[in-house]
Amino acid sequence: MQGLWDYLNQTFMPHGGCYFWRPDLLWLQVGSDFLIAIAYFSIPWALIHFIRRRQDIAFDRLFFMFASFIFFCGVTHVFSIITTWNPLYYTEGAIKAITGVVSAWTAVALWVLMPTFMRIPSMAQLRESNERLSREVSERERAEDELRRTNERLEALVERRTEELEQFAYAASHDLEEPLRHVRTYTSFLEHDLGENLPEKAQEDMYFIRSSASRMSAMIKALLDLSRAGKQQLEWGRIRVQDVIDEAVEQLRESFEGREVEICGKVSHEIDADLSLLGALYQNLISNALKYSQDPVRLEFSENDRGSTVIFGVRDNGIGIGQAYVEEIFKPFSRLHGEVDCPGSGIGLSLCRKIVERHGGEIWVESKVGEGSHFRFQMPKQKGSKEAKDAGARA
Ligand code: ADP
């Protein structure tokens, strides 16, 4: 080491006058410039590495300006070393000029961006807003939990009340049938005992008593059917829907007699369903189509594949239903026609809705007065599918 030091100091000492002919002073200057240059070159590299990794940093141009300004500062120190031995003062001056321009440009950009920097939240502010947000999130989660629990309580309450109501309707309608049977029996006894002696007015009254009792009996039977459809355990099976339609038409053969009816459209789907309830559904829709249409009747069956569900349709060319009533008619005892024009209980469509909903489906009607009605119901193809569960919970 001492040998190298002696060798370097044997030659003519540059800038000897400036450095008082002291080699240690010369090497202090050169060594310091070298160290500064190395440090300056490493800083731009670190800055560029940083902004490459942090794509989210908004001030990447400013970072580049800083990197180039520091790089040029490093170059000026390299030239300080070079010009100690080589008089490249013009080149050194040019490098200094470039460094000056880049530095001034960076300084101006820094001042221009100062208001934006001032708006950047401090670590403390960020920490505070983070804490506020997490407090809000946990409050919201608590509220959601509470809401879910209240919802579950309400659903359980509604389920219990519905069950109680259905039980009440079942018991009431069952018990009502008994006195009604007595009314019918004693009326016929009276007619039998008095026979021809019964005055004409009394015969007329008897007729009204009997027909009112029959009507009430029919209503009670419909109510019992509705109640049973809501309570009875479903007997699931794989069912060809066209077979159910054919069977329903067969069952209603009497209603078809003497009528001019064209039946069109076939369905090909099989679905999971309760055979007897699906049969009751089609029977109600077909008998309504006949009841609320004049000859010639056109009855059309359809199906529409919707992936995991199928939309089935029963369309007629009858009297149609006003827009105001398309929801109303699915409620129990809701009728748009008088008993004299079209006899009925007003329960048929409520029964249809109950049946469809118990299968996890939905029923609705598309209709206009005078343009026929199109009853449509959407059914899941498979028992236990998501659609079935969602609607089952609603039913
Ligand atoms: P009901 O037929 O015994 O009166 P529903 O519940 O089956 O009871 O029907 C309710 C009402 O909806 C009927 O009174 C009728 O006014 C109307 N309606 C049902 N189906 C049709 C149809 N295909 N065309 C026109 N109106 C209908």
Side-chain angles (χ1 to χ4, degrees):
M1 197 66 190
Q2 185 62 40
L4 178 67
W5 183 247
D6 291 342
Y7 167 77
L8 286 170
N9 291 326
Q10 273 168 13
T11 52
F12 178 72
M13 183 174 156
H15 298 275
C18 300
Y19 296 138
F20 311 119
W21 303 105
R22 301 277 312 261
D24 53 344
L25 190 53
L26 166 73
W27 290 113
L28 177 66
Q29 293 285 336
V30 170
S32 304
D33 275 330
F34 179 72
L35 201 62
I36 294 170
I38 296 286
Y40 274 6
F41 289 145
S42 78
I43 293 172
W45 184 77
L47 284 177
I48 288 169
H49 175 74
F50 175 70
I51 54 162
R52 280 236 174 107
R53 288 284 170 97
R54 291 288 306 271
Q55 301 282 342
D56 57 315
I57 299 285
F59 304 103
D60 53 345
R61 273 183 57 198
L62 190 72
F63 269 85
F64 272 114
M65 284 159 78
F66 259 106
S68 37
F69 142 64
I70 293 170
F71 173 79
F72 278 109
C73 286
V75 176
T76 58
H77 284 276
V78 170
F79 267 86
S80 284
I81 298 170
I82 293 170
T83 51
T84 304
W85 281 275
N86 289 302
L88 296 174
Y89 293 120
Y90 271 108
T91 316
E92 186 187 30
I95 294 292
K96 278 187 179 164
I98 294 171
T99 309
V101 170
V102 175
S103 309
W105 186 32
T106 310
V108 169
L110 195 60
W111 280 107
V112 169
L113 286 171
M114 192 56 81
T116 314
F117 292 152
M118 298 309 265
R119 282 199 297 274
I120 295 175
S122 68
M123 284 303 269
Q125 284 171 319
L126 281 176
R127 214 176 6 255
E128 195 188 316
S129 70
N130 230 350
E131 278 165 11
R132 203 178 50 242
L133 272 177
S134 58
R135 263 198 312 275
E136 274 177 23
V137 167
S138 36
E139 264 168 39
R140 187 157 304 171
E141 278 172 359
R142 235 193 339 269
E144 274 175 7
D145 268 359
E146 185 56 35
L147 201 68
R148 202 171 30 246
R149 272 197 298 275
T150 314
N151 237 345
E152 280 167 6
R153 270 201 304 274
L154 280 176
E155 268 173 22
L157 197 70
V158 168
E159 210 171 294
R160 211 172 51 239
R161 290 276 179 276
T162 314
E163 214 170 281
E164 282 169 8
L165 212 65
E166 277 177 354
Q167 228 130 40
F168 170 77
Y170 184 80
S173 31
H174 197 266
D175 293 351
L176 280 176
E177 191 53 48
E178 179 71 10
L180 210 56
R181 209 172 13 252
H182 284 144
V183 171
R184 279 202 308 268
T185 313
Y186 285 101
T187 320
S188 63
F189 282 170
L190 215 59
E191 279 180 321
H192 183 262
D193 291 347
L194 297 176
E196 297 291 296
N197 301 331
L198 207 60
E200 201 173 316
K201 174 77 175 71
Q203 279 184 22
E204 212 174 280
D205 292 347
M206 283 295 194
Y207 168 77
F208 279 120
I209 293 174
R210 229 186 7 255
S211 62
S212 294
S214 308
R215 182 160 142 63
M216 187 151 175
S217 187
M219 283 169 83
I220 288 171
K221 187 187 166 302
L223 211 56
L224 275 169
D225 285 347
L226 182 65
S227 172
R228 273 196 208 106
K231 275 177 1 153
Q232 83 182 52
Q233 196 72 26
L234 297 191
E235 284 188 21
W236 291 93
R238 196 73 187 155
I239 288 168
R240 256 193 86 221
V241 180
Q242 184 59 45
D243 291 347
V244 179
I245 296 173
D246 294 342
E247 178 61 23
V249 171
E250 181 60 28
Q251 291 286 328
L252 293 166
R253 199 157 10 134
E254 267 183 27
S255 318
F256 281 88
E257 261 163 30
R259 302 283 308 262
E260 202 182 319
V261 185
E262 179 197 0
I263 297 180
C264 38
K266 290 255 178 222
V267 302
S268 60
H269 276 92
E270 284 187 2
I271 59 166
D272 285 345
D274 180 303
L275 181 61
S276 69
L277 289 185
L278 197 63
L281 168 68
Y282 267 107
Q283 278 188 34
N284 267 295
L285 294 179
I286 297 169
S287 69
N288 274 354
L290 292 176
K291 194 157 58 167
Y292 301 106
S293 306
Q294 276 163 3
D295 288 357
V297 183
R298 190 171 192 276
L299 198 57
E300 187 184 337
F301 298 100
S302 63
E303 65 185 348
N304 216 314
D305 198 313
R306 287 292 166 100
S308 60
T309 63
V310 189
I311 300 179
F312 295 100
V314 179
R315 188 200 289 270
D316 63 52
N317 57 342
I319 56 178
I321 299 158
Q323 269 308 300
Y325 304 106
V326 290
E327 256 305 306
E328 200 64 25
I329 53 169
F330 289 98
K331 292 181 185 159
F333 301 116
S334 176
R335 308 202 65 220
L336 306 182
H337 301 91
E339 179 62 19
V340 182
D341 299 336
C342 294
S345 62
I347 289 287
L349 289 179
S350 337
L351 183 69
C352 292
R353 172 163 279 177
K354 177 126 284 178
I355 292 171
V356 172
E357 287 183 348
R358 285 210 69 194
H359 283 82
E362 230 181 315
I363 185 168
W364 68 96
V365 64
E366 291 157 12
S367 181
K368 271 191 189 156
V369 175
E371 293 184 16
S373 307
H374 192 187
F375 282 87
R376 308 188 76 194
F377 55 97
Q378 183 161 20
M379 300 280 261
K381 288 179 184 170
Q382 309 269 347
K383 172 194 172 192
S385 66
K386 188 180 173 307
E387 290 80 359
K389 281 196 189 114
D390 289 351
R394 282 198 309 271

